Each structure stands twice: as C-alpha cells, then as structure tokens.
Amino acid sequence: MSNCSFPHLIDLNNYPVSAWDRITDLAIDIKRNPRIYIGACSGRIMATLFYEPSTRTQMSFQAAMLRLGGGIIGFDNPNNSSVAKGESIKDTAKIVSSYSDIVVMRHFLEGASKAAALTSDCPIVNAGDGGHLHPTQTLTDLLTLKAEKGTLSGLTVGFCGDLKNGRTVHSLLKALSCYENNKFVFISTEELKVPDYIKDIVRAAGKRYSEINNLEDAIPELDMLYMTRIQQERFSSAEEYQKQKHVFCLDEKKMQLAKKDMIVMHPLPRVDEIAVSVDGDPRALYFKQANYGMYVRMSLVLSVLYENIDAKPLIVGREYPNVCCRNPKCISNHETSLPHIFRENNGVLECEYCDGRQISN
Ligand code: NCD
C-alpha cells in the first residue's frame, strides 16, 4: 500500500531531530559558501505542484533548485493542468513523480501530500496541506532561531493569531517540543486556539504552555514572538472571519514592552497583524527569516536526494475500510479511492492523513 522507500517529508517529526540539525547546519554552510554548491543538483528535476497560492514557499524551492543547478517543472494553477479535468492526486503524483527526482506539493486539503506519497515514485515534500502542517516552514523557523538566537532550547516562545488554522504554528510547536526546556504562550481568541491534539503532543513532551488573549500581557517574558495572519481562506463564512480579523496587532508600543533581545518572526504573508512601523526594529526578523527559507530548502533538497535520512515509515496504522475520517477537510473524504487508514493511540483511532481523532462507526 505505502511506498516507504523514500524519505518523504510529510511531517517534520517523521525525520529524526538529528536530521533537522544536519539540515539546518548545512543551510548555514550553504549561505556562507554558496559557490561550493553550484551544480550540486545538475541533471536533477524538481516538480512543484501548487494547488494553493504561494509566494515564498514556491519561489524559494524553485530558486533553491536553480541555485543548485537543477531544473524545475510544475504548476501553480491546477486549472491549467489535468486537475481541471478531474484527475486525482494519486494519479497526478504517479505521473509527475516519474518525470522528476523530487516533488514539492501544496494543497488545500489536509493529508494531501501523504496521499500523494502513497503512489509516488520519488520523494514528496509537503509544502503545506490545508490547516494541518508545513514542515519546510518549520525548518526555516528552526534555522532562523538557531542562527539568530544561537539555540533551540530554553526558550519562551509566544504564538499569536490564528493558532487553530495556522499550519506553520502546528508544525513549529511539534518541533520545538522536541528540544529541552522550551515553554509556550498561546495568544489567541477563544475561537482560534491551538487544536487539542497539538496541545496533547506538547504536554506529552513534558513542555509547559499557557493560554492568554492579550498580547501586551504576554510579550514581556518572550524570547521569540511568532506572529501569524488570520487564515481567511479556512473560515466557513465571511462573518466568522470578520469577527476574528484585526484582533491582534503588534506595534511599536507593544515592542517597547518586550525584551531587548526578543525576536519577532512571522511565516508571512503579513496582513495587518504587524504594523509596518515595526519593520525597522532590529528585533523584527521576518524578512531575514524568508531569506533563510531558501537556504534551508537548498539544504533539504540536497539531503533528500543524496543523504540517507532515517525517516520513519510513512504509514504506521492499518486499513479500516468501514471507518470514515470525521474531518471534512481531510483528503480521504475527497478522493474516494484512497484507503481509509487509521492508527490506534490510547484506544482512539487517528486518521493517518490528517491526524484527526475518530469515533469508529
Ligand atoms: C504560510 C502558509 O502558507 O501556511 N506562508 C508560508 O508558507 N510562508 C503562512 C500563511 O499563509 O499565513
């Protein structure tokens, strides 16, 4: 059923922490000595399949491959591909992976890249699957923290904004929970809190977190503030979004309450959650962070293509033909030919595609 022979990057936690460290260290070397890596991917092809809008992720992957001397194919508008004729992810992945050495995929449905990996003939990299995960943004974030704070441990990190739908938040929280002595402050409205399954992972890793709805009160203790946009496209109605937008805004006044060495990160794009006047503050690192993203993707491509990454198996669960995932945004509810795969965790079934918890029928 599953093709486990490739180091697919669907969830960063499928790679050992030692691999994250190697990838971020190599990225630092590439940034310092870019000439050494010119031509390292000569003759290799990356496919970028973007079913959802992207600027940084798509272009930084493409720039990464071009800087390594490789080529790129793909689409950023699925309506110009056979997707518009009704082709499934399974079939698109099968075909495109036979033309390329690595496939980078972003999709609006949760678990889409894992579904693609089931039939792919080359490694799949998840470039964002709905509101679920975004592992390569997390590599970018880890590199930024490592390079700018000098550590990934012992940090008090604030996450502010749409913590429910923000896939970058989910992936980064899972990753930072693997390092020692980190603690987290979740700053959001009641409606946009961190999902329970992510909180359980944080708690199981022995990390502390608090939840608050006020940025001013949270900011003085933070070493890093991770701002996020309200994910308009994930709301079920315009009214719901209207209620949530403009709630949090980081401005110069709030920056005055922060530590002198606190850093501000943001996966971008920014809407209005950081005032433009903050951009000149030396603690505002979001543009630099986006630049680190290209180097970490160069490093990732090299690692996936040439290193032996000890990735965990793609699938640990098994098929439950009569159980349907309860998450309407899960790929398994849209591509009917996909096997229904669940794993058991403390007596509860979890969907292998979207991690959603189920009640069996
Ligand atoms: C993020 C994403 O796509 O999830 N952007 C990115 O990849 N840098 C964040 C967002 O869209 O808000």
Side-chain angles (χ1 to χ4, degrees):
M1 171 175 57
S2 67
N3 194 340
C4 300
S5 54
F6 299 114
H8 301 294
L9 179 53
I10 307 301
D11 175 339
L12 196 55
N13 296 62
N14 292 148
Y15 285 5
V17 175
S18 57
W20 314 350
D21 290 334
R22 275 205 312 279
I23 291 167
T24 47
D25 287 345
L26 177 63
I28 291 171
D29 193 61
I30 298 172
K31 187 166 158 55
R32 281 199 196 119
N33 307 297
R35 286 171 170 273
I36 298 175
Y37 298 90
I38 294 173
C41 284
S42 164
R44 299 302 191 108
I45 291 178
M46 169 193 281
T48 53
L49 307 183
F50 277 68
Y51 293 73
E52 219 188 25
S54 171
T55 300
R56 273 150 294 273
T57 306
Q58 183 185 201
M59 290 192 195
S60 62
F61 261 115
Q62 294 180 340
M65 195 54 166
L66 293 173
R67 282 177 187 271
L68 294 168
I72 318 157
I73 57 172
F75 56 72
D76 57 11
N77 179 356
N79 291 327
N80 292 338
S81 75
S82 283
V83 175
K85 302 178 190 169
E87 187 168 62
S88 64
I89 287 182
K90 174 178 161 299
D91 289 358
T92 303
K94 183 81 192 152
I95 301 305
V96 175
S97 64
S98 75
Y99 300 154
S100 43
D101 301 290
I102 181 167
V103 173
V104 177
M105 185 174 144
R106 169 171 288 188
H107 202 283
F108 47 88
L109 291 171
E110 301 182 15
S113 19
K114 190 172 262 189
L118 290 180
T119 53
S120 177
D121 288 324
C122 76
I124 297 275
V125 175
N126 178 8
D129 59 332
H132 185 217
L133 295 171
H134 194 344
T136 70
Q137 180 63 45
T138 298
L139 284 172
T140 302
D141 300 339
L142 294 180
L143 171 59
T144 308
L145 271 172
K146 195 183 234 185
E148 300 294 331
K149 290 296 288 180
T151 182
L152 295 167
S153 308
L155 299 170
T156 301
V157 177
F159 289 85
C160 178
D162 190 343
L163 311 186
K164 176 181 178 210
N165 301 298
R167 55 195 173 195
T168 64
V169 171
H170 307 159
S171 282
L172 182 55
L173 265 170
K174 286 177 73 173
L176 286 178
S177 294
C178 295
Y179 292 91
E180 277 177 16
N181 297 326
N182 288 327
K183 60 180 195 184
F184 309 113
V185 184
F186 302 149
I187 309 146
S188 76
T189 60
E190 192 57 34
E191 291 80 3
L192 299 183
K193 282 178 158 180
V194 174
D196 287 342
Y197 89 94
I198 299 282
K199 283 188 214 161
D200 289 348
I201 293 171
V202 172
R203 229 181 286 120
K207 303 295 177 293
R208 281 186 294 140
Y209 65 81
S210 56
E211 297 185 287
I212 186 170
N213 59 13
N214 178 312
L215 184 51
E216 284 92 334
D217 290 346
I219 206 167
E221 64 163 321
L222 304 179
D223 299 308
M224 189 268 268
L225 171 59
Y226 197 85
M227 292 297 295
T228 62
R229 118 191 122 85
I230 307 301
Q231 308 273 302
Q232 181 174 8
E233 68 277 28
R234 313 256 179 252
F235 282 75
S236 48
S237 73
E239 296 75 55
E240 295 287 314
Y241 171 67
Q242 292 301 325
K243 277 189 235 155
Q244 298 296 331
K245 66 175 196 180
H246 304 318
V247 174
F248 297 104
C249 180
L250 179 66
D251 55 19
E252 287 167 289
K253 218 167 135 214
K254 294 190 189 82
M255 285 298 283
Q256 283 172 12
L257 304 171
K259 290 183 189 169
K260 294 271 171 292
D261 64 348
M262 182 194 78
I263 63 171
V264 183
M265 292 171 50
H266 190 310
L268 301 177
R270 154 177 59 188
V271 181
D272 54 9
E273 59 282 350
I274 302 182
V276 174
S277 56
V278 173
D279 295 356
D281 190 305
R283 296 169 291 181
L285 289 190
Y286 27 93
F287 295 123
K288 205 168 180 188
Q289 181 186 354
N291 178 255
Y292 280 125
M294 182 182 70
Y295 292 103
V296 96
R297 288 177 175 111
M298 288 174 82
S299 172
L300 174 68
V301 170
L302 288 172
S303 305
V304 169
L305 293 183
Y306 302 122
E307 297 244 323
N308 214 346
I309 300 176
D310 187 19
K312 285 190 195 149
L314 184 64
I315 300 291
V316 295
R318 64 175 176 89
E319 249 188 284
Y320 287 77
N322 298 325
V323 182
C324 292
C325 178
R326 299 172 77 220
N327 173 6
K329 293 176 181 171
C330 176
I331 185 71
S332 65
N333 285 318
H334 295 259
E335 292 220 345
T336 47
S337 72
L338 284 173
H340 296 187
I341 315 173
F342 298 90
R343 55 177 181 257
E344 222 183 285
N345 188 359
N346 288 326
V348 177
L349 290 187
E350 289 172 353
C351 174
E352 273 279 8
Y353 301 97
C354 72
D355 295 320
R357 288 173 181 163
Q358 316 297 315
I359 299 167
S360 45
N361 31 359

